[in-house]
Amino acid sequence: LIVAGPASAFEDMLSQPGSVHGSIGLAVGVKPEYAGAKDSETRLMPHVSLYYGQTLFLTGMTAGANLFRQRTTQGIAVTAGPLLALRGGRQEDDNAALNGLGDIDRGLDAGAFVRLRKGQWQLRADVRADVSAGDGGTTVNVSAGHGWHVDEKLHARAILDATWASSDHMNTFFGIDAVQAANSGLSKYQADAGFKGAGVSLMADRAINSEWTGFAALRYTRLIGDAADSPIVADLGSRNQVAVTAGIKYRF
């Protein structure tokens, strides 16, 4: 989910030790039917961004803890810690291009993140590895972003990011083994480790009052490398992935 990915990195953790705070809401999203699809689907999605004090957080499908916090002499705030994230799967009947490829179960990833922030600028990197029974492999995401206040009620953000994936991850989501090839009629395809995509996200929050805020996000991702060359992308899908989200959230 857009609002639960890079966008959530810009949420401020309020200085309220021992308190639960954040926002909950609802959004309508339009996104590709699978990673690499040319067709889109519309979904109603929850928005969740919760914090406990300045340490624990739950944003979307990711939970973590800011166990290391330090400010350098240059005024850069450095935060790091562990994270757990639910990883989405894929159903064979999500799209006709997936016929014969079988389902991909959801899984659980564990990893760590580090964030550098100064003013409205932010750099972030996180690494995640599958700790469930699946073949989600390992991914590394790096991002750079900037936020600004358009006026007293409107806050906008822009983020650039790229994702590297292990061969296990690449083959789970983009590879085609012998059995899948026989069932689907597609050619066998072996995907190696490497960068699988790069993207840009544009987001905006518009305060309605002191408690309610409307939000919107637009994300473009370009699949690259072996992910882009997979038959389910190059032949039956699209390297260009666009997702749009709009919703409302309640802050507390």
Side-chain angles (χ1 to χ4, degrees):
L1 302 185
I2 300 173
V3 294
S8 64
F10 282 90
E11 290 279 0
D12 290 326
M13 297 194 71
L14 307 179
S15 299
Q16 300 179 21
S19 68
V20 176
H21 55 280
S23 62
I24 56 175
L26 197 62
V28 176
V30 179
K31 69 180 189 67
E33 292 185 342
Y34 65 89
K38 63 181 178 181
D39 302 314
S40 297
E41 62 180 353
T42 301
R43 286 187 178 182
L44 192 63
M45 305 176 297
H47 165 91
V48 179
S49 185
L50 301 176
Y51 304 96
Y52 181 77
Q54 297 183 7
T55 303
L56 303 179
F57 62 86
L58 172 65
T59 55
M61 296 186 290
T62 301
N66 297 309
L67 297 186
F68 176 84
R69 294 192 299 270
Q70 185 69 48
R71 184 173 294 275
T72 69
T73 55
Q74 292 79 24
I76 300 174
V78 182
T79 308
L83 59 81
L84 286 174
L86 292 177
R87 185 183 63 258
R90 189 181 73 193
Q91 300 298 309
E92 184 176 350
D93 59 4
D94 285 345
N95 188 281
L98 305 177
N99 289 342
L101 300 184
D103 298 338
I104 299 175
D105 294 332
R106 296 177 180 178
L108 179 66
D109 291 340
F113 72 93
V114 60
R115 181 178 66 196
L116 285 70
R117 187 170 184 177
K118 184 173 183 180
Q120 292 293 322
W121 288 97
Q122 179 173 266
L123 297 175
R124 181 184 173 109
D126 67 56
V127 56
R128 306 180 185 197
D130 184 10
V131 293
S132 56
D135 294 317
T138 301
T139 60
V140 179
N141 179 268
V142 292
S143 65
H146 183 264
W148 64 93
H149 291 281
V150 180
D151 57 38
E152 62 179 10
K153 292 186 176 181
L154 180 60
H155 183 220
R157 302 177 293 281
I159 303 174
L160 297 174
D161 71 283
T163 302
W164 176 93
S166 68
S167 58
D168 284 342
H169 179 94
M170 294 286 277
N171 276 300
T172 294
F173 288 92
F174 301 102
I176 301 174
D177 61 25
V179 174
Q180 291 173 321
N183 292 337
S184 66
L186 298 173
S187 300
K188 287 180 59 179
Y189 183 74
Q190 177 77 24
D192 294 329
F195 279 94
K196 70 170 185 175
V200 57
S201 300
L202 301 175
M203 290 146 287
D205 290 345
R206 176 75 178 184
I208 300 172
N209 53 38
S210 60
E211 297 177 330
W212 291 95
T213 299
F215 62 90
L218 171 66
R219 176 168 175 79
Y220 168 76
T221 303
R222 173 75 174 184
L223 294 178
I224 57 179
D226 282 9
D229 294 335
S230 169
I232 64 172
V233 178
D235 299 333
L236 303 175
S238 174
R239 295 179 173 88
N240 301 304
Q241 305 282 281
V242 177
V244 181
T245 303
I248 189 170
K249 58 186 175 183
Y250 175 79
R251 291 180 178 272
F252 59 92

